[in-house]
Amino acid sequence: MMKPSLLSLLLLGPALMAAEPSLQSQLEARSAESAKKGDPAVRSEYAKGIEAVAASGIVDKAKNVGDKAPDFTLKNATGKEVSLKSLLKDGPVVLTWYRGGWCPYCNIAMAALQKELPEIKKAGAQLVALSPELPDKTLTTSEKNHLEFEVLSDTNHGVADDYGIVFELTPKVRELYKSKFDLTEFNGKDAGDGKLPLAATYIIDTDGTIRWAFLDADYRKRAEPSDIVDFLNEMAE
């Protein structure tokens, strides 16, 4: 294999330096930073929480490739009702969940998706984010991250339940969250403070079939935006 010449390296250097870091590398950097500052005992409980989610089998039971995507009608940040059925009339839908504006990993993921939004649209698809947060909280998240795609409130985890991605927090993780913030302030009292959705992402075809899915028990891992765009382009071919 020929080695690149010095001239080619010099020419490619600025382009390589300007390349955006992957979403996963950003998430890993955030996790490493948190590990340096955090209490080891607290980190251990969060790790046990992730292990409990994985052990529950939720990833295997959730809606996946080949399944029909359950339809829904939810309100966006301004109170307008949006249905999956109506969205699919205009092309495939990239449906992604985020836990809430309180979650730094979610905010990093939303920002990365926003950067990739032009390419998602270019591929003929629409990007929609679902959150258990109440509409006023999703509006705050949208504004904070300058999001230009729909952010819908999945109140009481109704749609997440239909997709099979809701899990119970371990008692220890629940208490750790309560010591920092009140989850019911974000999701409402009816939703409680003991459940959250996986940070799942689906690509749903116009016939309502799930064509691509990202499911992981670890909230620090998210669908890579470039992978989403690559698959959308393959679908369009």
Side-chain angles (χ1 to χ4, degrees), residues 1 24 34 46 55 57 64 81-82 98 102 110 116 119 121 124 135-136 158 174 213 218 226 228:
M1 182 181 293
Q24 191 54 44
S34 178
Y46 284 145
N64 213 322
E81 289 191 340
V82 178
Y98 75 95
W102 51 269
M110 291 297 103
E116 206 71 27
E119 293 301 315
K121 289 183 175 180
D136 61 329
R174 185 177 179 180
D218 190 341
S226 59
I228 293 171

Side-chain angles (χ1 to χ4, degrees), residues 164-175:
I165 62 170
V166 179
F167 65 90
E168 294 275 353
L169 298 174
T170 63
K172 287 286 188 179
V173 170
R174 185 177 179 180
E175 288 303 315

Side-chain angles (χ1 to χ4, degrees), residues 82-100:
V82 178
S83 72
L84 176 61
K85 184 178 180 179
S86 63
L87 290 170
L88 290 173
K89 292 178 181 178
D90 296 322
V93 169
V94 178
L95 188 64
T96 189
W97 266 265
Y98 75 95
R99 306 191 306 163

Side-chain angles (χ1 to χ4, degrees), residues 6 10 16 21 39 52-53 62 74 80 84 87 117 147 149 191 196 209 213 224 230-231:
L6 178 59
L10 289 172
L16 293 172
D39 182 339
V53 175
L74 297 173
K80 177 184 175 183
L84 176 61
L87 290 170
L117 184 59
L147 304 182
F149 51 87
L196 282 175
T209 303
E224 193 65 49
D230 287 345
F231 190 84

